[in-house]
């Protein structure tokens, strides 16, 4: 059973910061692209950021310059540092592990963590 265990969500004021964490097993972390997605009420789930095992990153335009994704290989953990948060960042944030081999895609999700930005 693959597990992605998230932590770090909560309530923060506009302009504040939060850091999300997602821990998984070594067997997953070492070969899967890790990412963060979010879903706001009434909206589709969207990509926030991904990071490959080789260190390539991709960010949604709305978070570039404010959010940073990183991987700690010793802890099998991916982080999402979120700075200068705005109410528009309020959503459930979910960790994702994805691997594509040929035509086969393996995909795992965490349980999600709520991030609320409000004064």
């Amino acid at each position: 059973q693959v597990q992605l265990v998230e932590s770090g969500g909560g309530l923060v004021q506009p302009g504040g910061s939060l850091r999300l964490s997602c821990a998984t097993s070594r067997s997953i972390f070492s070969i899967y692209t890790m990412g963060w997605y979010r879903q706001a009420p009434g909206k589709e789930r969207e990509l926030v950021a991904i990071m490959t095992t080789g260190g390539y990153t991709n960010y949604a335009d709305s978070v570039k310059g404010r959010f940073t994704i990183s991987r700690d290989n010793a802890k099998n953990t991916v982080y999402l540092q979120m700075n200068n948060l705005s109410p528009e960042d309020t959503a459930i944030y979910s960790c994702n592990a994805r691997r594509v081999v040929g035509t086969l895609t393996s995909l795992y999700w965490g349980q999600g963590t709520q991030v609320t930005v409000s004064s």
Side-chain angles (χ1 to χ4, degrees), residues 12-111:
V12 64
Q13 292 187 341
S17 298
L18 281 175
R19 188 177 78 158
L20 305 182
S21 301
C22 173
T24 188
S25 65
R26 181 67 185 162
S27 62
I28 293 295
F29 191 80
S30 62
I31 61 174
Y32 277 63
T33 290
M34 302 298 295
W36 290 96
Y37 290 71
R38 67 184 181 186
Q39 186 167 21
K43 293 188 176 181
E44 300 269 327
R45 184 162 58 192
E46 62 175 356
L47 169 72
V48 177
I50 62 165
M51 189 172 191
T52 68
T53 56
Y56 168 81
T57 59
N58 188 35
Y59 294 90
D61 288 342
S62 60
V63 307
K64 284 181 181 176
R66 299 188 299 123
F67 291 11
T68 302
I69 189 170
S70 61
R71 299 171 67 122
D72 186 330
N73 294 331
K75 297 182 178 180
N76 301 323
T77 299
V78 62
Y79 302 99
L80 184 68
Q81 177 66 44
M82 305 184 293
N83 298 328
N84 193 21
L85 285 160
S86 71
E88 290 69 36
D89 296 314
T90 295
I92 295 174
Y93 285 69
S94 298
C95 178
N96 164 281
R98 180 173 181 268
R99 183 178 185 227
V100 178
V101 179
T103 59
L104 179 65
T105 298
S106 299
L107 192 63
Y108 302 100
W109 291 95
Q111 79 282 3

